[in-house]
Amino acid sequence: MTTRAHLVVLAGPSGVGKSSVIKEALSVLPNTWVSVSATTRAPRPGEVDGVNYFYVTDEQFDQMIANNELLEWANYTNNRYGTPRKPVEEKLAAGIPVLLEIEVQGAGQIRESMSEALLVFLEPPTWADLEARLAGRGTESQTQVQARLDAALKELESKGLFDYVIVNDDVNRAAAQLVQYLS
Ligand code: 5GP
């Protein structure tokens, strides 16, 4: 019997805790490969090019689109984010499970182009919880936090698009659920 490698998409509003849940899930499933996206946004302090993102200019991003190098991409709060196609295809061909951590518009594009993908939405337990987390992490200006909350409202409306919804009321429990979908 051949096993088919999984492609799992984890989406959800900024600040919901996607990265923490992924980190926890990877401690159980170290074989899973997490895609590194390209973005036009500036690095935050401590972020490393090629690790957190590939930081590119608008012109470079345009070129990646023109060359069909992106599996999906989206405009999110005035910056563009996209998944480089080649590494994802290579990992899947090698039988390695792939996880994409992206926003909702991109998840919709993956739904269209890769029908085998499993789409998972990570939801905050409450709206107040999301507000507190986003403001509390201190990585964005107040204007940026507001833009992300506006985006979050729309993203929450799209959760019906997803195969599964995980409520992030507890990181370990949420990660355990994600592990199930990756296994
Ligand atoms: P941040 O600026 O906080 O790193 O990311 C902002 C949003 O963009 C998050 O919801 C994150 O999941 C999403 N994102 C990161 N990489 C990609 C990508 O390659 N494609 C899409 N569509 N969204 C992404």
Side-chain angles (χ1 to χ4, degrees):
M1 197 178 92
T2 52
T3 49
R4 188 122 150 268
H6 282 304
L7 174 61
V8 175
V9 174
L10 185 69
S14 175
V16 72
K18 292 183 295 248
S19 303
S20 309
V21 169
I22 288 176
K23 197 171 158 204
E24 193 55 41
L26 289 187
S27 68
V28 182
L29 291 176
N31 186 38
T32 298
W33 181 77
V34 183
S35 165
V36 179
S37 299
T39 184
T40 59
R41 91 148 158 74
R44 295 182 186 130
E47 288 186 342
V48 178
D49 188 32
V51 176
N52 302 93
Y53 282 105
F54 296 106
Y55 300 94
V56 299
T57 61
D58 263 316
E59 292 71 27
Q60 286 169 319
F61 204 96
D62 287 341
Q63 201 57 57
M64 292 174 102
I65 295 170
N67 295 343
N68 198 26
E69 287 172 34
L70 298 176
L71 202 53
E72 60 72 36
W73 69 272
N75 208 316
Y76 174 86
T77 65
N78 288 328
N79 281 301
R80 289 183 290 173
Y81 297 78
T83 303
R85 177 191 303 281
K86 202 169 162 215
V88 171
E89 290 180 347
E90 284 173 355
K91 300 290 174 190
L92 289 175
I96 298 169
V98 171
L99 181 58
L100 307 184
E101 190 229 294
I102 61 179
E103 54 67 72
V104 165
Q105 303 166 73
Q109 293 169 39
I110 296 289
R111 162 69 83 225
E112 296 295 313
S113 62
M114 306 191 80
S115 54
E116 77 279 20
L118 196 69
L119 268 55
V120 182
F121 187 87
L122 191 64
E123 180 180 43
T126 63
W127 179 255
D129 182 85
L130 185 70
E131 279 182 322
R133 289 185 62 126
L134 206 43
R137 71 182 190 184
T139 46
E140 283 88 24
S141 68
Q142 222 175 327
T143 318
Q144 261 297 325
V145 167
Q146 193 52 54
R148 283 170 181 249
L149 285 172
D150 292 345
L153 267 183
K154 287 208 189 104
E155 294 193 288
L156 286 165
E157 281 170 11
S158 311
K159 72 176 180 183
L161 167 84
F162 289 78
D163 299 306
Y164 296 103
V165 176
I166 301 177
V167 180
N168 191 16
D169 49 6
D170 176 89
V171 173
N172 291 312
R173 199 198 55 74
Q177 222 174 316
L178 181 60
V179 165
Q180 276 184 11
Y181 303 146
L182 281 161
S183 307

